[in-house]
Amino acid sequence: MMRCLVRLLLALQSSCSVLAGVCLVTAGGLYGAERFGDWDGSELDVGAAISIGLGGVLFLLGLLGLLTSCSRSYSWSYCFSIILLVIVILQCLAGVLVIFFRNEIEKVVDKSLRQSMRSYHLPDPSDSPYQVTVRNTWDGIQNILGCCGVMAFTDWSDTEFGTPGLVPESCCREVVAGCGSDIDFGVDNPDLHQTGCVMAVQGEMAENIEMVVAVIAGLLAVQVLGVCLSCCLARSVQVEHCDL
């Protein structure tokens, strides 16, 4: 009974890893399908490639976990637990590096967001899945967080969309048809959200720091649980083999 429960929990944990991997590969693939043909080594190109690579690793790790949950080989279960442990350690090291190189990472994120803004334009039947995703993502973030642009609404002036004096209507404090037209980027516009989305996200994270810490701790705990479940399963199978 206990072994069945361990197998079930390990399978559920592995399924989450497979789902996360699929999401990352899909996100990077949407961008790559349209932009990798004109690879120029931009921050967004590299980020998409990393997303695909990381998603592939998570997907394979999840598949290995599912195979482990069905396996009757205690040696393989031990090997899988070691693989998980190494990955947990690498993530902890990555977290330390993020803290030390926070400023550099923020610059990369800033450039990546500005590059994604260049793909924003008004809806068109010929839009690719990536263009639709970019538009919906920017509109969703700006609507929910009450922000506009990366650091300010003037960031849209550097895009092809914003050159005629346009900003997305999601930048408006009160969204009505045409509220994002005829914008003068040289003066303050009280009808638009004044806060950039980077600062808005940072503010939300600071206000909900307990939830952020809880989510990070939860993700780490799930992976540590995977290590423990693999070891428990391996020990259980090993004892059964010895009894036989």
Side-chain angles (χ1 to χ4, degrees):
M1 180 65 180
M2 182 60 67
R3 187 186 307 164
C4 292
L5 179 60
V6 170
R7 290 183 186 276
L8 176 60
L9 291 175
L10 181 59
L12 290 174
Q13 190 261 358
S14 300
S15 298
C16 292
S17 180
V18 170
L19 181 61
V22 170
C23 291
L24 286 175
V25 170
T26 301
L30 286 174
Y31 176 87
E34 181 172 335
R35 302 290 174 146
F36 279 174
D38 300 319
W39 178 276
D40 59 3
S42 67
E43 288 77 8
L44 210 52
D45 285 348
V46 175
I50 292 175
S51 176
I52 294 173
L54 182 58
V57 170
L58 286 175
F59 182 79
L60 291 176
L61 187 65
L63 287 182
L64 290 177
L66 291 173
L67 292 175
T68 301
S69 67
C70 301
S71 174
R72 300 184 63 84
S73 170
Y74 63 86
S75 58
W76 170 246
S77 296
Y78 279 129
C79 288
F80 180 69
S81 65
I82 293 173
I83 293 173
L84 278 181
L85 182 59
V86 170
I87 291 177
V88 170
I89 293 173
L90 290 177
Q91 289 181 63
C92 292
L93 292 176
V96 173
L97 291 176
V98 167
I99 294 174
F100 278 108
F101 296 98
R102 176 183 173 183
N103 292 334
E104 287 74 8
I105 292 175
E106 287 181 348
K107 292 177 182 178
V108 171
V109 172
D110 182 279
K111 290 181 180 179
S112 299
L113 291 174
R114 293 179 188 276
Q115 289 165 9
S116 71
M117 290 172 67
R118 298 171 188 167
S119 298
Y120 187 101
H121 56 72
L122 295 175
D124 187 275
S126 62
D127 285 346
S128 67
Y130 170 69
Q131 292 171 324
V132 173
T133 301
V134 168
R135 182 172 58 251
N136 291 340
T137 300
W138 271 108
D139 286 341
I141 291 174
Q142 292 181 151
N143 271 320
I144 294 172
L145 297 181
C147 59
C148 187
V150 179
M151 302 305 294
F153 74 91
T154 53
D155 295 332
W156 287 104
S157 65
D158 298 326
T159 66
E160 182 178 350
F161 172 80
T163 300
L166 298 175
V167 297
E169 292 184 353
S170 54
C171 279
C172 301
R173 294 183 183 276
E174 295 185 11
V175 179
V176 294
C179 66
S181 305
D182 300 323
I183 302 299
D184 185 352
F185 292 106
V187 298
D188 291 336
N189 193 323
D191 295 328
L192 303 178
H193 297 303
Q194 302 299 305
T195 305
C197 290
V198 169
M199 296 187 66
V201 170
Q202 291 175 341
E204 287 292 323
M205 292 179 66
E207 291 179 6
N208 301 280
I209 188 63
E210 296 87 356
M211 184 179 296
V212 173
V213 172
V215 170
I216 295 175
L219 292 174
L220 187 60
V222 167
Q223 296 176 76
V224 173
L225 176 63
V227 176
C228 297
L229 291 174
S230 298
C231 290
C232 290
L233 180 60
R235 181 58 180 168
S236 175
V237 174
Q238 185 178 20
V239 170
E240 181 184 22
H241 283 190
C242 292
D243 291 341
L244 295 176

